[in-house]
Amino acid sequence: KDPRTPVSISLDAIRKYFQGYNMGRQLWEWYLDSLGFSPNSAIRGHIRGLFNGQRHEDLMFKVFEHLSIDGTMPVEGALTFSRGFSGSMHVLVQSKHVMPVSQIKPEEEQWMTDHWGVIFPEKCTFEDFKRMTELFMVRRTVITLADYVGLEMLRRGLKAPIVCRFKIDLPVYNGKPAQSLDI
C-alpha cells in the first residue's frame, strides 16, 4: 500500500511490469489508473508530452550516469534522486500562490530500501530507472495537487492550467561533481 495515496499495488505486479508484462503502458499510467483518473484525462497528455521528448531522455540519462554504478542503479542512487527532486506549481495566472512539490517521507525511503532488491533482483537498467523516476515525479505531483485541491477534484480535472517547475539537485556522488538540472 502506498503510504500517501489510496493505491495498493503488489510488489509482484511491479516486478512483473519490469519483466515485460506492461501491456505497452507506462508505470505512471498504471498509477493514475489505480487512482481512478480517466484514460482521457488531460493530465495524461501533458505527462506524455513531458516524458516523450528527447530532452527528458537526455536529462534522465545524465541523472542515471551520475548515480549509477557499473550500469545499474543502486537503491542509494534512487534515494538520492528522490531526495533531490523538487520544484513548485502554480495556477497559470496566479504565480504568487506557489505550491512546493511534496518531498519524500521517511516511510517512503524505508519502503524503497526494503523493496528495491525485490523489484530489481539483478540490476536496474537505465530504462528501468527512467520508468521508476517517471512514477516518482507523477506521484509527487499528484500528492502535491491533491493536498491543495483534493484527489476527487484532481480526478475530474482542473479548470485552470497549472505551471510546473521541477528540478533535480544531485550532490557529489561517487566522485562525480554536484549538478542541478531543470526538468
Side-chain angles (χ1 to χ4, degrees):
K1 169 107 173 85
D2 184 328
R4 296 177 65 193
T5 62
V7 172
S8 183
I9 300 174
S10 73
L11 280 175
D12 189 49
I14 295 171
R15 198 171 40 245
K16 283 183 178 178
Y17 175 88
F18 284 105
Q19 291 171 350
Y21 300 100
N22 56 32
M23 297 177 284
R25 308 201 53 226
Q26 298 301 319
L27 192 55
W28 64 264
E29 291 178 289
W30 283 23
Y31 177 73
L32 291 181
D33 291 346
S34 64
L35 284 172
F37 280 77
S38 164
N40 301 319
S41 170
I43 196 170
R44 292 179 191 258
H46 295 298
I47 295 168
R48 275 187 205 96
L50 173 67
F51 292 159
N52 286 340
Q54 188 61 46
R55 183 174 182 275
H56 174 72
E57 184 87 7
D58 294 345
L59 282 170
M60 290 300 98
F61 192 73
K62 278 184 184 179
V63 172
F64 185 79
E65 283 186 317
H66 191 88
L67 299 174
S68 64
I69 299 171
D70 297 327
T72 190
M73 182 60 61
V75 67
E76 296 82 14
L79 287 168
T80 300
F81 166 84
S82 201
R83 290 177 192 129
F85 177 72
S86 65
S88 63
M89 294 177 266
H90 64 84
V91 175
L92 182 60
V93 295
Q94 298 177 6
S95 60
K96 292 181 182 177
H97 302 288
V98 174
M99 299 170 274
V101 173
S102 174
Q103 293 299 294
I104 190 168
K105 303 287 186 196
E107 61 269 21
E108 295 167 303
E109 288 189 13
Q110 189 61 53
W111 188 93
M112 284 176 65
T113 300
D114 292 346
H115 299 97
W116 194 259
V118 175
I119 297 169
F120 304 109
E122 294 179 29
K123 68 185 284 185
C124 176
T125 66
F126 167 66
E127 284 300 318
D128 295 338
F129 175 71
K130 187 175 77 158
R131 290 182 188 127
M132 284 298 285
T133 59
E134 290 169 354
L135 172 63
F136 294 164
M137 291 187 280
V138 168
R139 183 176 170 277
R140 293 269 194 79
T141 302
V142 166
I143 288 169
T144 301
L145 291 171
D147 284 349
Y148 282 87
V149 301
L151 187 56
E152 191 54 43
M153 181 177 278
L154 192 55
R155 283 182 189 129
R156 286 194 306 260
L158 302 176
K159 294 183 191 314
I162 302 292
V163 175
C164 301
R165 290 184 179 22
F166 301 129
K167 71 177 186 170
I168 303 166
D169 289 318
L170 300 171
V172 172
Y173 193 81
N174 289 333
K176 298 169 191 158
Q179 296 183 54
S180 185
L181 306 170
D182 291 324
I183 298 176

